[in-house]
Amino acid sequence: MKRFLWLLSLWMTLFVSCDHLPASHGSQAENTVDSFCQAYFCYHFERALQFTTDESRPWLVYAASNVNQDDIDALRAMENSPSIDVDEVVAPENDSAGYAVVEVSDYLVMDTIGQAAHLQTSSQYRFDMVKRGGKWKIKLSGLPRGRSI
């Protein structure tokens, strides 16, 4: 009985701790885009760093520095996580540059200084990508800006 409980707790720990990992059925580029978006749009900026280039760091630090208590309260009050749909990934194997188009739904957006984030129904984002060390990374040249769809 103790062994069963131990195995059950181990399985639950692994299940819960791995729920943020990218799906293994997609390409590495698609997994990078999906993982970055899941982290970024849930305000997990530190985790988002691992999917970006080094020169993208200042933009994530800037985004994190603009989060206030009202934003955190609004995020905690959300019933569901944002929905991420990777529409298109152009990441040729023989190239070192590409891009991805992503639709993000039901997420909080910070777009006005001094005001709390507000719920956005749906927007489309385009992310530039570069291959570094054989892996695709998101390259930010500013804060991500979506366009309503």
Side-chain angles (χ1 to χ4, degrees), residues 14-53:
L14 289 173
F15 180 78
V16 171
S17 66
C18 296
D19 69 341
H20 66 279
L21 296 176
S24 60
H25 64 275
S27 70
Q28 189 271 322
E30 186 174 344
N31 289 340
T32 295
V33 172
D34 184 62
S35 296
F36 169 78
C37 289
Q38 292 291 342
Y40 182 83
F41 291 105
C42 289
Y43 291 23
H44 297 291
F45 300 116
E46 189 171 348
R47 186 170 34 182
L49 279 171
Q50 66 185 314
F51 305 106
T52 64
T53 60

PDB file of all heavy atoms in Angstrom, residues 14-53:
ATOM      1  N   LEU A  14       5.174  14.465 -11.138  1.00  0.00           N
ATOM      2  CA  LEU A  14       5.660  14.584 -12.507  1.00  0.00           C
ATOM      3  C   LEU A  14       4.602  15.185 -13.419  1.00  0.00           C
ATOM      4  O   LEU A  14       4.895  16.028 -14.260  1.00  0.00           O
ATOM      5  CB  LEU A  14       6.094  13.215 -13.042  1.00  0.00           C
ATOM      6  CG  LEU A  14       7.366  12.644 -12.431  1.00  0.00           C
ATOM      7  CD1 LEU A  14       7.592  11.227 -12.916  1.00  0.00           C
ATOM      8  CD2 LEU A  14       8.555  13.521 -12.757  1.00  0.00           C
ATOM      9  N   PHE A  15       3.377  14.785 -13.269  1.00  0.00           N
ATOM     10  CA  PHE A  15       2.285  15.297 -14.100  1.00  0.00           C
ATOM     11  C   PHE A  15       2.116  16.796 -13.901  1.00  0.00           C
ATOM     12  O   PHE A  15       2.045  17.560 -14.851  1.00  0.00           O
ATOM     13  CB  PHE A  15       0.985  14.565 -13.768  1.00  0.00           C
ATOM     14  CG  PHE A  15      -0.180  15.038 -14.568  1.00  0.00           C
ATOM     15  CD1 PHE A  15      -0.342  14.633 -15.881  1.00  0.00           C
ATOM     16  CD2 PHE A  15      -1.112  15.898 -14.003  1.00  0.00           C
ATOM     17  CE1 PHE A  15      -1.423  15.077 -16.613  1.00  0.00           C
ATOM     18  CE2 PHE A  15      -2.195  16.341 -14.731  1.00  0.00           C
ATOM     19  CZ  PHE A  15      -2.349  15.936 -16.040  1.00  0.00           C
ATOM     20  N   VAL A  16       2.090  17.240 -12.666  1.00  0.00           N
ATOM     21  CA  VAL A  16       1.884  18.658 -12.368  1.00  0.00           C
ATOM     22  C   VAL A  16       3.096  19.482 -12.775  1.00  0.00           C
ATOM     23  O   VAL A  16       2.968  20.562 -13.324  1.00  0.00           O
ATOM     24  CB  VAL A  16       1.563  18.850 -10.869  1.00  0.00           C
ATOM     25  CG1 VAL A  16       1.565  20.314 -10.489  1.00  0.00           C
ATOM     26  CG2 VAL A  16       0.219  18.217 -10.543  1.00  0.00           C
ATOM     27  N   SER A  17       4.301  18.981 -12.532  1.00  0.00           N
ATOM     28  CA  SER A  17       5.494  19.765 -12.830  1.00  0.00           C
ATOM     29  C   SER A  17       5.791  19.830 -14.319  1.00  0.00           C
ATOM     30  O   SER A  17       6.529  20.701 -14.752  1.00  0.00           O
ATOM     31  CB  SER A  17       6.698  19.194 -12.093  1.00  0.00           C
ATOM     32  OG  SER A  17       7.019  17.917 -12.585  1.00  0.00           O
ATOM     33  N   CYS A  18       5.228  18.978 -15.115  1.00  0.00           N
ATOM     34  CA  CYS A  18       5.529  18.953 -16.546  1.00  0.00           C
ATOM     35  C   CYS A  18       4.417  19.539 -17.401  1.00  0.00           C
ATOM     36  O   CYS A  18       4.493  19.486 -18.620  1.00  0.00           O
ATOM     37  CB  CYS A  18       5.808  17.520 -17.009  1.00  0.00           C
ATOM     38  SG  CYS A  18       7.272  16.813 -16.253  1.00  0.00           S
ATOM     39  N   ASP A  19       3.400  20.122 -16.800  1.00  0.00           N
ATOM     40  CA  ASP A  19       2.283  20.590 -17.610  1.00  0.00           C
ATOM     41  C   ASP A  19       2.637  21.777 -18.481  1.00  0.00           C
ATOM     42  O   ASP A  19       1.930  22.084 -19.420  1.00  0.00           O
ATOM     43  CB  ASP A  19       1.064  20.928 -16.747  1.00  0.00           C
ATOM     44  CG  ASP A  19       1.263  22.146 -15.889  1.00  0.00           C
ATOM     45  OD1 ASP A  19       2.425  22.539 -15.676  1.00  0.00           O
ATOM     46  OD2 ASP A  19       0.245  22.697 -15.428  1.00  0.00           O
ATOM     47  N   HIS A  20       3.756  22.443 -18.249  1.00  0.00           N
ATOM     48  CA  HIS A  20       4.135  23.602 -19.046  1.00  0.00           C
ATOM     49  C   HIS A  20       5.120  23.253 -20.160  1.00  0.00           C
ATOM     50  O   HIS A  20       5.515  24.115 -20.919  1.00  0.00           O
ATOM     51  CB  HIS A  20       4.752  24.678 -18.151  1.00  0.00           C
ATOM     52  CG  HIS A  20       6.050  24.277 -17.550  1.00  0.00           C
ATOM     53  ND1 HIS A  20       6.132  23.484 -16.435  1.00  0.00           N
ATOM     54  CD2 HIS A  20       7.324  24.549 -17.922  1.00  0.00           C
ATOM     55  CE1 HIS A  20       7.397  23.281 -16.145  1.00  0.00           C
ATOM     56  NE2 HIS A  20       8.137  23.916 -17.026  1.00  0.00           N
ATOM     57  N   LEU A  21       5.525  22.006 -20.263  1.00  0.00           N
ATOM     58  CA  LEU A  21       6.487  21.626 -21.284  1.00  0.00           C
ATOM     59  C   LEU A  21       5.829  21.600 -22.654  1.00  0.00           C
ATOM     60  O   LEU A  21       4.652  21.299 -22.793  1.00  0.00           O
ATOM     61  CB  LEU A  21       7.079  20.240 -20.967  1.00  0.00           C
ATOM     62  CG  LEU A  21       7.894  20.166 -19.686  1.00  0.00           C
ATOM     63  CD1 LEU A  21       8.341  18.734 -19.441  1.00  0.00           C
ATOM     64  CD2 LEU A  21       9.089  21.085 -19.751  1.00  0.00           C
ATOM     65  N   PRO A  22       6.576  21.944 -23.703  1.00  0.00           N
ATOM     66  CA  PRO A  22       6.006  21.953 -25.034  1.00  0.00           C
ATOM     67  C   PRO A  22       5.651  20.547 -25.499  1.00  0.00           C
ATOM     68  O   PRO A  22       6.242  19.564 -25.074  1.00  0.00           O
ATOM     69  CB  PRO A  22       7.133  22.547 -25.891  1.00  0.00           C
ATOM     70  CG  PRO A  22       8.382  22.298 -25.132  1.00  0.00           C
ATOM     71  CD  PRO A  22       7.991  22.298 -23.681  1.00  0.00           C
ATOM     72  N   ALA A  23       4.685  20.493 -26.382  1.00  0.00           N
ATOM     73  CA  ALA A  23       4.298  19.213 -26.964  1.00  0.00           C
ATOM     74  C   ALA A  23       5.443  18.691 -27.816  1.00  0.00           C
ATOM     75  O   ALA A  23       6.060  19.435 -28.559  1.00  0.00           O
ATOM     76  CB  ALA A  23       3.048  19.394 -27.816  1.00  0.00           C
ATOM     77  N   SER A  24       5.721  17.420 -27.716  1.00  0.00           N
ATOM     78  CA  SER A  24       6.865  16.867 -28.429  1.00  0.00           C
ATOM     79  C   SER A  24       6.552  16.561 -29.889  1.00  0.00           C
ATOM     80  O   SER A  24       7.443  16.249 -30.644  1.00  0.00           O
ATOM     81  CB  SER A  24       7.346  15.603 -27.719  1.00  0.00           C
ATOM     82  OG  SER A  24       6.316  14.645 -27.698  1.00  0.00           O
ATOM     83  N   HIS A  25       5.293  16.670 -30.286  1.00  0.00           N
ATOM     84  CA  HIS A  25       4.932  16.314 -31.651  1.00  0.00           C
ATOM     85  C   HIS A  25       5.205  17.424 -32.652  1.00  0.00           C
ATOM     86  O   HIS A  25       5.224  17.190 -33.840  1.00  0.00           O
ATOM     87  CB  HIS A  25       3.460  15.881 -31.717  1.00  0.00           C
ATOM     88  CG  HIS A  25       2.511  16.979 -31.363  1.00  0.00           C
ATOM     89  ND1 HIS A  25       2.172  17.270 -30.064  1.00  0.00           N
ATOM     90  CD2 HIS A  25       1.847  17.862 -32.146  1.00  0.00           C
ATOM     91  CE1 HIS A  25       1.328  18.289 -30.049  1.00  0.00           C
ATOM     92  NE2 HIS A  25       1.119  18.674 -31.290  1.00  0.00           N
ATOM     93  N   GLY A  26       5.463  18.652 -32.205  1.00  0.00           N
ATOM     94  CA  GLY A  26       5.722  19.764 -33.113  1.00  0.00           C
ATOM     95  C   GLY A  26       7.209  19.916 -33.379  1.00  0.00           C
ATOM     96  O   GLY A  26       8.040  19.258 -32.780  1.00  0.00           O
ATOM     97  N   SER A  27       7.531  20.812 -34.295  1.00  0.00           N
ATOM     98  CA  SER A  27       8.931  21.096 -34.573  1.00  0.00           C
ATOM     99  C   SER A  27       9.527  21.868 -33.412  1.00  0.00           C
ATOM    100  O   SER A  27       8.820  22.445 -32.583  1.00  0.00           O
ATOM    101  CB  SER A  27       9.040  21.918 -35.862  1.00  0.00           C
ATOM    102  OG  SER A  27       8.536  23.224 -35.645  1.00  0.00           O
ATOM    103  N   GLN A  28      10.837  21.912 -33.351  1.00  0.00           N
ATOM    104  CA  GLN A  28      11.504  22.649 -32.284  1.00  0.00           C
ATOM    105  C   GLN A  28      11.126  24.117 -32.355  1.00  0.00           C
ATOM    106  O   GLN A  28      10.878  24.748 -31.331  1.00  0.00           O
ATOM    107  CB  GLN A  28      13.025  22.455 -32.377  1.00  0.00           C
ATOM    108  CG  GLN A  28      13.804  23.007 -31.189  1.00  0.00           C
ATOM    109  CD  GLN A  28      14.227  24.461 -31.343  1.00  0.00           C
ATOM    110  OE1 GLN A  28      14.603  24.902 -32.420  1.00  0.00           O
ATOM    111  NE2 GLN A  28      14.140  25.211 -30.267  1.00  0.00           N
ATOM    112  N   ALA A  29      11.024  24.682 -33.554  1.00  0.00           N
ATOM    113  CA  ALA A  29      10.640  26.089 -33.717  1.00  0.00           C
ATOM    114  C   ALA A  29       9.226  26.319 -33.197  1.00  0.00           C
ATOM    115  O   ALA A  29       8.975  27.286 -32.466  1.00  0.00           O
ATOM    116  CB  ALA A  29      10.748  26.492 -35.183  1.00  0.00           C
ATOM    117  N   GLU A  30       8.302  25.451 -33.543  1.00  0.00           N
ATOM    118  CA  GLU A  30       6.919  25.601 -33.089  1.00  0.00           C
ATOM    119  C   GLU A  30       6.824  25.452 -31.568  1.00  0.00           C
ATOM    120  O   GLU A  30       6.102  26.198 -30.904  1.00  0.00           O
ATOM    121  CB  GLU A  30       6.018  24.572 -33.770  1.00  0.00           C
ATOM    122  CG  GLU A  30       4.554  24.754 -33.456  1.00  0.00           C
ATOM    123  CD  GLU A  30       3.652  23.816 -34.237  1.00  0.00           C
ATOM    124  OE1 GLU A  30       4.106  23.234 -35.237  1.00  0.00           O
ATOM    125  OE2 GLU A  30       2.493  23.665 -33.828  1.00  0.00           O
ATOM    126  N   ASN A  31       7.554  24.510 -31.009  1.00  0.00           N
ATOM    127  CA  ASN A  31       7.568  24.335 -29.553  1.00  0.00           C
ATOM    128  C   ASN A  31       8.129  25.567 -28.852  1.00  0.00           C
ATOM    129  O   ASN A  31       7.635  25.963 -27.797  1.00  0.00           O
ATOM    130  CB  ASN A  31       8.371  23.093 -29.169  1.00  0.00           C
ATOM    131  CG  ASN A  31       7.656  21.809 -29.532  1.00  0.00           C
ATOM    132  OD1 ASN A  31       6.453  21.790 -29.725  1.00  0.00           O
ATOM    133  ND2 ASN A  31       8.415  20.742 -29.636  1.00  0.00           N
ATOM    134  N   THR A  32       9.155  26.182 -29.433  1.00  0.00           N
ATOM    135  CA  THR A  32       9.735  27.394 -28.861  1.00  0.00           C
ATOM    136  C   THR A  32       8.710  28.515 -28.845  1.00  0.00           C
ATOM    137  O   THR A  32       8.537  29.191 -27.830  1.00  0.00           O
ATOM    138  CB  THR A  32      10.982  27.824 -29.658  1.00  0.00           C
ATOM    139  OG1 THR A  32      11.989  26.827 -29.498  1.00  0.00           O
ATOM    140  CG2 THR A  32      11.522  29.164 -29.191  1.00  0.00           C
ATOM    141  N   VAL A  33       8.026  28.706 -29.955  1.00  0.00           N
ATOM    142  CA  VAL A  33       7.013  29.767 -30.052  1.00  0.00           C
ATOM    143  C   VAL A  33       5.902  29.525 -29.038  1.00  0.00           C
ATOM    144  O   VAL A  33       5.512  30.432 -28.290  1.00  0.00           O
ATOM    145  CB  VAL A  33       6.432  29.855 -31.480  1.00  0.00           C
ATOM    146  CG1 VAL A  33       5.261  30.820 -31.534  1.00  0.00           C
ATOM    147  CG2 VAL A  33       7.508  30.259 -32.467  1.00  0.00           C
ATOM    148  N   ASP A  34       5.384  28.317 -28.989  1.00  0.00           N
ATOM    149  CA  ASP A  34       4.296  27.988 -28.073  1.00  0.00           C
ATOM    150  C   ASP A  34       4.728  28.183 -26.613  1.00  0.00           C
ATOM    151  O   ASP A  34       4.015  28.795 -25.817  1.00  0.00           O
ATOM    152  CB  ASP A  34       3.824  26.561 -28.303  1.00  0.00           C
ATOM    153  CG  ASP A  34       2.624  26.211 -27.436  1.00  0.00           C
ATOM    154  OD1 ASP A  34       1.568  26.858 -27.581  1.00  0.00           O
ATOM    155  OD2 ASP A  34       2.755  25.301 -26.588  1.00  0.00           O
ATOM    156  N   SER A  35       5.901  27.699 -26.269  1.00  0.00           N
ATOM    157  CA  SER A  35       6.394  27.813 -24.894  1.00  0.00           C
ATOM    158  C   SER A  35       6.624  29.270 -24.507  1.00  0.00           C
ATOM    159  O   SER A  35       6.284  29.690 -23.396  1.00  0.00           O
ATOM    160  CB  SER A  35       7.683  27.021 -24.719  1.00  0.00           C
ATOM    161  OG  SER A  35       7.439  25.647 -24.904  1.00  0.00           O
ATOM    162  N   PHE A  36       7.205  30.042 -25.420  1.00  0.00           N
ATOM    163  CA  PHE A  36       7.409  31.462 -25.151  1.00  0.00           C
ATOM    164  C   PHE A  36       6.076  32.161 -24.906  1.00  0.00           C
ATOM    165  O   PHE A  36       5.928  32.904 -23.929  1.00  0.00           O
ATOM    166  CB  PHE A  36       8.144  32.147 -26.307  1.00  0.00           C
ATOM    167  CG  PHE A  36       8.130  33.648 -26.183  1.00  0.00           C
ATOM    168  CD1 PHE A  36       8.993  34.290 -25.311  1.00  0.00           C
ATOM    169  CD2 PHE A  36       7.235  34.410 -26.920  1.00  0.00           C
ATOM    170  CE1 PHE A  36       8.962  35.674 -25.168  1.00  0.00           C
ATOM    171  CE2 PHE A  36       7.192  35.789 -26.783  1.00  0.00           C
ATOM    172  CZ  PHE A  36       8.059  36.423 -25.908  1.00  0.00           C
ATOM    173  N   CYS A  37       5.105  31.924 -25.768  1.00  0.00           N
ATOM    174  CA  CYS A  37       3.799  32.583 -25.637  1.00  0.00           C
ATOM    175  C   CYS A  37       3.092  32.169 -24.348  1.00  0.00           C
ATOM    176  O   CYS A  37       2.497  33.016 -23.667  1.00  0.00           O
ATOM    177  CB  CYS A  37       2.933  32.291 -26.848  1.00  0.00           C
ATOM    178  SG  CYS A  37       3.498  33.127 -28.349  1.00  0.00           S
ATOM    179  N   GLN A  38       3.147  30.894 -24.005  1.00  0.00           N
ATOM    180  CA  GLN A  38       2.525  30.443 -22.759  1.00  0.00           C
ATOM    181  C   GLN A  38       3.135  31.179 -21.576  1.00  0.00           C
ATOM    182  O   GLN A  38       2.421  31.606 -20.661  1.00  0.00           O
ATOM    183  CB  GLN A  38       2.690  28.929 -22.582  1.00  0.00           C
ATOM    184  CG  GLN A  38       1.927  28.089 -23.566  1.00  0.00           C
ATOM    185  CD  GLN A  38       0.421  28.142 -23.383  1.00  0.00           C
ATOM    186  OE1 GLN A  38      -0.103  28.538 -22.354  1.00  0.00           O
ATOM    187  NE2 GLN A  38      -0.300  27.740 -24.407  1.00  0.00           N
ATOM    188  N   ALA A  39       4.446  31.341 -21.570  1.00  0.00           N
ATOM    189  CA  ALA A  39       5.110  32.037 -20.465  1.00  0.00           C
ATOM    190  C   ALA A  39       4.838  33.534 -20.512  1.00  0.00           C
ATOM    191  O   ALA A  39       4.443  34.135 -19.508  1.00  0.00           O
ATOM    192  CB  ALA A  39       6.617  31.762 -20.511  1.00  0.00           C
ATOM    193  N   TYR A  40       5.018  34.150 -21.666  1.00  0.00           N
ATOM    194  CA  TYR A  40       4.886  35.606 -21.777  1.00  0.00           C
ATOM    195  C   TYR A  40       3.471  36.086 -21.443  1.00  0.00           C
ATOM    196  O   TYR A  40       3.299  37.027 -20.671  1.00  0.00           O
ATOM    197  CB  TYR A  40       5.278  36.066 -23.185  1.00  0.00           C
ATOM    198  CG  TYR A  40       5.209  37.569 -23.332  1.00  0.00           C
ATOM    199  CD1 TYR A  40       6.270  38.371 -22.925  1.00  0.00           C
ATOM    200  CD2 TYR A  40       4.074  38.190 -23.856  1.00  0.00           C
ATOM    201  CE1 TYR A  40       6.215  39.748 -23.035  1.00  0.00           C
ATOM    202  CE2 TYR A  40       4.004  39.570 -23.966  1.00  0.00           C
ATOM    203  CZ  TYR A  40       5.074  40.339 -23.553  1.00  0.00           C
ATOM    204  OH  TYR A  40       4.994  41.707 -23.652  1.00  0.00           O
ATOM    205  N   PHE A  41       2.469  35.454 -22.012  1.00  0.00           N
ATOM    206  CA  PHE A  41       1.105  35.933 -21.827  1.00  0.00           C
ATOM    207  C   PHE A  41       0.499  35.529 -20.479  1.00  0.00           C
ATOM    208  O   PHE A  41      -0.598  35.954 -20.148  1.00  0.00           O
ATOM    209  CB  PHE A  41       0.227  35.506 -23.000  1.00  0.00           C
ATOM    210  CG  PHE A  41       0.597  36.224 -24.270  1.00  0.00           C
ATOM    211  CD1 PHE A  41       1.296  35.580 -25.276  1.00  0.00           C
ATOM    212  CD2 PHE A  41       0.287  37.560 -24.444  1.00  0.00           C
ATOM    213  CE1 PHE A  41       1.668  36.241 -26.429  1.00  0.00           C
ATOM    214  CE2 PHE A  41       0.656  38.243 -25.591  1.00  0.00           C
ATOM    215  CZ  PHE A  41       1.347  37.578 -26.596  1.00  0.00           C
ATOM    216  N   CYS A  42       1.240  34.745 -19.699  1.00  0.00           N
ATOM    217  CA  CYS A  42       0.855  34.461 -18.311  1.00  0.00           C
ATOM    218  C   CYS A  42       1.745  35.232 -17.340  1.00  0.00           C
ATOM    219  O   CYS A  42       1.753  34.968 -16.142  1.00  0.00           O
ATOM    220  CB  CYS A  42       0.939  32.959 -18.030  1.00  0.00           C
ATOM    221  SG  CYS A  42      -0.347  32.011 -18.839  1.00  0.00           S
ATOM    222  N   TYR A  43       2.530  36.188 -17.884  1.00  0.00           N
ATOM    223  CA  TYR A  43       3.402  37.066 -17.105  1.00  0.00           C
ATOM    224  C   TYR A  43       4.532  36.308 -16.402  1.00  0.00           C
ATOM    225  O   TYR A  43       5.066  36.773 -15.408  1.00  0.00           O
ATOM    226  CB  TYR A  43       2.614  37.863 -16.071  1.00  0.00           C
ATOM    227  CG  TYR A  43       1.693  38.925 -16.637  1.00  0.00           C
ATOM    228  CD1 TYR A  43       1.200  38.877 -17.925  1.00  0.00           C
ATOM    229  CD2 TYR A  43       1.314  39.993 -15.842  1.00  0.00           C
ATOM    230  CE1 TYR A  43       0.348  39.837 -18.416  1.00  0.00           C
ATOM    231  CE2 TYR A  43       0.459  40.970 -16.320  1.00  0.00           C
ATOM    232  CZ  TYR A  43      -0.020  40.891 -17.618  1.00  0.00           C
ATOM    233  OH  TYR A  43      -0.855  41.851 -18.098  1.00  0.00           O
ATOM    234  N   HIS A  44       4.940  35.181 -16.931  1.00  0.00           N
ATOM    235  CA  HIS A  44       6.087  34.439 -16.411  1.00  0.00           C
ATOM    236  C   HIS A  44       7.318  34.849 -17.227  1.00  0.00           C
ATOM    237  O   HIS A  44       7.868  34.069 -18.002  1.00  0.00           O
ATOM    238  CB  HIS A  44       5.857  32.932 -16.500  1.00  0.00           C
ATOM    239  CG  HIS A  44       4.712  32.445 -15.684  1.00  0.00           C
ATOM    240  ND1 HIS A  44       4.732  32.432 -14.305  1.00  0.00           N
ATOM    241  CD2 HIS A  44       3.499  31.976 -16.051  1.00  0.00           C
ATOM    242  CE1 HIS A  44       3.584  31.965 -13.858  1.00  0.00           C
ATOM    243  NE2 HIS A  44       2.814  31.685 -14.896  1.00  0.00           N
ATOM    244  N   PHE A  45       7.729  36.110 -17.053  1.00  0.00           N
ATOM    245  CA  PHE A  45       8.774  36.680 -17.892  1.00  0.00           C
ATOM    246  C   PHE A  45      10.116  35.985 -17.721  1.00  0.00           C
ATOM    247  O   PHE A  45      10.864  35.839 -18.685  1.00  0.00           O
ATOM    248  CB  PHE A  45       8.899  38.180 -17.625  1.00  0.00           C
ATOM    249  CG  PHE A  45       7.632  38.929 -17.919  1.00  0.00           C
ATOM    250  CD1 PHE A  45       6.941  39.580 -16.911  1.00  0.00           C
ATOM    251  CD2 PHE A  45       7.109  38.973 -19.201  1.00  0.00           C
ATOM    252  CE1 PHE A  45       5.768  40.270 -17.173  1.00  0.00           C
ATOM    253  CE2 PHE A  45       5.939  39.653 -19.474  1.00  0.00           C
ATOM    254  CZ  PHE A  45       5.264  40.309 -18.470  1.00  0.00           C
ATOM    255  N   GLU A  46      10.429  35.554 -16.515  1.00  0.00           N
ATOM    256  CA  GLU A  46      11.705  34.867 -16.294  1.00  0.00           C
ATOM    257  C   GLU A  46      11.754  33.547 -17.072  1.00  0.00           C
ATOM    258  O   GLU A  46      12.766  33.209 -17.671  1.00  0.00           O
ATOM    259  CB  GLU A  46      11.933  34.630 -14.806  1.00  0.00           C
ATOM    260  CG  GLU A  46      13.316  34.135 -14.509  1.00  0.00           C
ATOM    261  CD  GLU A  46      13.619  34.100 -13.025  1.00  0.00           C
ATOM    262  OE1 GLU A  46      12.851  34.664 -12.224  1.00  0.00           O
ATOM    263  OE2 GLU A  46      14.644  33.492 -12.679  1.00  0.00           O
ATOM    264  N   ARG A  47      10.643  32.824 -17.087  1.00  0.00           N
ATOM    265  CA  ARG A  47      10.595  31.575 -17.852  1.00  0.00           C
ATOM    266  C   ARG A  47      10.638  31.856 -19.347  1.00  0.00           C
ATOM    267  O   ARG A  47      11.225  31.108 -20.117  1.00  0.00           O
ATOM    268  CB  ARG A  47       9.347  30.783 -17.486  1.00  0.00           C
ATOM    269  CG  ARG A  47       9.325  29.418 -18.145  1.00  0.00           C
ATOM    270  CD  ARG A  47       8.257  28.506 -17.663  1.00  0.00           C
ATOM    271  NE  ARG A  47       7.037  29.196 -17.310  1.00  0.00           N
ATOM    272  CZ  ARG A  47       5.967  28.614 -16.827  1.00  0.00           C
ATOM    273  NH1 ARG A  47       5.969  27.321 -16.618  1.00  0.00           N
ATOM    274  NH2 ARG A  47       4.888  29.289 -16.539  1.00  0.00           N
ATOM    275  N   ALA A  48      10.030  32.969 -19.772  1.00  0.00           N
ATOM    276  CA  ALA A  48      10.024  33.333 -21.195  1.00  0.00           C
ATOM    277  C   ALA A  48      11.443  33.589 -21.707  1.00  0.00           C
ATOM    278  O   ALA A  48      11.722  33.379 -22.889  1.00  0.00           O
ATOM    279  CB  ALA A  48       9.143  34.558 -21.424  1.00  0.00           C
ATOM    280  N   LEU A  49      12.339  34.025 -20.815  1.00  0.00           N
ATOM    281  CA  LEU A  49      13.724  34.312 -21.204  1.00  0.00           C
ATOM    282  C   LEU A  49      14.416  33.130 -21.870  1.00  0.00           C
ATOM    283  O   LEU A  49      15.214  33.317 -22.787  1.00  0.00           O
ATOM    284  CB  LEU A  49      14.546  34.735 -19.987  1.00  0.00           C
ATOM    285  CG  LEU A  49      14.430  36.164 -19.533  1.00  0.00           C
ATOM    286  CD1 LEU A  49      15.133  36.352 -18.197  1.00  0.00           C
ATOM    287  CD2 LEU A  49      14.990  37.111 -20.576  1.00  0.00           C
ATOM    288  N   GLN A  50      14.115  31.925 -21.428  1.00  0.00           N
ATOM    289  CA  GLN A  50      14.821  30.760 -21.973  1.00  0.00           C
ATOM    290  C   GLN A  50      14.473  30.480 -23.432  1.00  0.00           C
ATOM    291  O   GLN A  50      15.169  29.707 -24.087  1.00  0.00           O
ATOM    292  CB  GLN A  50      14.585  29.535 -21.098  1.00  0.00           C
ATOM    293  CG  GLN A  50      13.161  29.033 -21.077  1.00  0.00           C
ATOM    294  CD  GLN A  50      12.983  27.893 -20.093  1.00  0.00           C
ATOM    295  OE1 GLN A  50      13.784  26.973 -20.064  1.00  0.00           O
ATOM    296  NE2 GLN A  50      11.930  27.964 -19.301  1.00  0.00           N
ATOM    297  N   PHE A  51      13.447  31.129 -23.955  1.00  0.00           N
ATOM    298  CA  PHE A  51      13.024  30.909 -25.340  1.00  0.00           C
ATOM    299  C   PHE A  51      13.372  32.090 -26.237  1.00  0.00           C
ATOM    300  O   PHE A  51      12.933  32.149 -27.381  1.00  0.00           O
ATOM    301  CB  PHE A  51      11.526  30.628 -25.386  1.00  0.00           C
ATOM    302  CG  PHE A  51      11.123  29.492 -24.497  1.00  0.00           C
ATOM    303  CD1 PHE A  51      10.458  29.724 -23.307  1.00  0.00           C
ATOM    304  CD2 PHE A  51      11.445  28.183 -24.830  1.00  0.00           C
ATOM    305  CE1 PHE A  51      10.103  28.686 -22.468  1.00  0.00           C
ATOM    306  CE2 PHE A  51      11.104  27.131 -23.994  1.00  0.00           C
ATOM    307  CZ  PHE A  51      10.432  27.387 -22.815  1.00  0.00           C
ATOM    308  N   THR A  52      14.150  33.044 -25.704  1.00  0.00           N
ATOM    309  CA  THR A  52      14.496  34.245 -26.462  1.00  0.00           C
ATOM    310  C   THR A  52      16.001  34.394 -26.596  1.00  0.00           C
ATOM    311  O   THR A  52      16.770  33.765 -25.881  1.00  0.00           O
ATOM    312  CB  THR A  52      13.937  35.517 -25.788  1.00  0.00           C
ATOM    313  OG1 THR A  52      14.562  35.670 -24.515  1.00  0.00           O
ATOM    314  CG2 THR A  52      12.425  35.451 -25.622  1.00  0.00           C
ATOM    315  N   THR A  53      16.393  35.277 -27.507  1.00  0.00           N
ATOM    316  CA  THR A  53      17.803  35.607 -27.676  1.00  0.00           C
ATOM    317  C   THR A  53      18.255  36.476 -26.505  1.00  0.00           C
ATOM    318  O   THR A  53      17.432  37.089 -25.813  1.00  0.00           O
ATOM    319  CB  THR A  53      18.027  36.382 -28.985  1.00  0.00           C
ATOM    320  OG1 THR A  53      17.265  37.587 -28.940  1.00  0.00           O
ATOM    321  CG2 THR A  53      17.639  35.550 -30.201  1.00  0.00           C
TER     322      THR A  53
END
